[in-house]
Amino acid sequence: MQAVYGLLIVAFSLSRTLWLSNVLLFLIGAALMVVFSSVTSLIQLIAPNEMRGRVMSIYMVAFRGGMPLGSLASGILATFIDPTLVIGINGGLLVVVAAYFLVRSHGVREA
């Protein structure tokens, strides 16, 4: 689903019509909710019972701390190159990360 999310972001960066952009934003929001809930569920399934709270707190710190840093990096990059290109690069990176985790199993498939 993360690959679909990334592809939708790439499609949004290429879109030049308002109605299509609005439809893509709706689909991006739906895909984002599915990705977030799936990742959170996988983390809770993989973590041992006695460590689940600690693992989730570390995940939330990394997630909530990493997202603003990524947004800052994207914003800085968007001042030097085209913002639509930056959005497309971010979507492409999401697809690459999803493909990496699909190809190389890290115990996620067994969970």
Side-chain angles (χ1 to χ4, degrees):
M1 193 64 193
Q2 181 174 334
V4 171
Y5 174 59
L7 290 173
L8 286 170
I9 290 177
V10 170
F12 174 74
S13 72
L14 298 173
S15 172
R16 298 290 179 249
T17 58
L18 181 62
W19 69 269
L20 179 60
S21 296
N22 287 336
V23 169
L24 287 170
L25 282 175
F26 175 78
L27 295 173
I28 287 169
L32 182 66
M33 290 188 336
V34 171
V35 168
F36 283 167
S37 63
S38 298
V39 169
T40 304
S41 296
L42 280 172
I43 289 172
Q44 290 181 6
L45 283 172
I46 292 171
N49 287 338
E50 61 275 1
M51 299 293 288
R52 187 166 292 137
R54 293 181 188 115
V55 169
M56 286 306 297
S57 67
I58 297 289
Y59 167 73
M60 285 299 171
V61 166
F63 179 71
R64 293 186 185 221
M67 194 181 323
L69 291 176
S71 297
L72 178 66
S74 293
I76 290 171
L77 191 60
T79 60
F80 296 113
I81 61 175
D82 187 31
T84 57
L85 181 61
V86 174
I87 292 172
I89 290 170
N90 287 341
L93 288 173
L94 284 169
V95 173
V96 168
V97 169
Y100 171 76
F101 281 107
L102 281 175
V103 170
R104 184 178 163 117
S105 177
H106 294 282
V108 174
R109 287 189 198 146
E110 290 82 25

